Amino acid sequence: MFSEDQLEQLRSFPDIGKDDLIRYFTLTPADIAFVDPGRGRGPVDRLGLAVQLSTLPWLGFMPDDVTAAPLVAVATQAERQGLDPAVLEGYGQRAHTVHPPPRR
């Protein structure tokens, strides 16, 4: 259905302009409350969530690699949260929760 080039576009981030940066990478008060560290989220998860919350309305989907988001967008989110943009590199590295096998 899609060519390899089209699939690659869906897996990656395009460049972002200043207008889109301001429009989509400014979190709402509800978004800020959701990524709040008081909810038990560390810096890596807070920044990753902020990038995802901003990307979804911007692109309409979430590219495969969150850490490949445009640096200016990551830096904007990091600055607003008082975080180092480099912490995003650790996003998605956590082992998934392993569920016990079903009982028989």
Side-chain angles (χ1 to χ4, degrees):
M1 181 171 191
F2 294 106
S3 71
E4 284 301 315
D5 287 342
Q6 290 170 323
L7 286 173
E8 184 56 35
Q9 285 180 332
L10 290 172
R11 292 182 184 125
S12 59
F13 286 87
D15 292 332
I16 187 167
K18 184 177 179 181
D19 290 342
D20 283 343
L21 182 66
I22 293 167
R23 180 175 180 188
Y24 295 108
F25 284 80
T26 301
L27 296 179
T28 67
D31 293 337
I32 293 167
F34 182 72
V35 299
D36 180 26
R39 297 180 68 120
R41 294 187 173 96
V44 173
D45 289 333
R46 291 194 326 262
L47 185 53
L49 284 171
V51 170
Q52 287 185 345
L53 287 170
S54 301
T55 299
L56 193 55
W58 173 42
L59 299 178
F61 66 96
M62 192 62 232
D64 290 344
D65 185 6
V66 176
T67 65
L71 184 56
V72 67
V74 174
T76 298
Q77 291 297 345
E79 181 181 342
R80 290 181 180 152
Q81 295 186 56
L83 300 172
D84 179 352
V87 302
L88 187 63
E89 288 302 317
Y91 193 71
Q93 302 299 317
R94 181 174 57 100
H96 294 283
T97 303
V98 178
H99 296 282
R103 293 184 185 179
R104 293 181 184 209

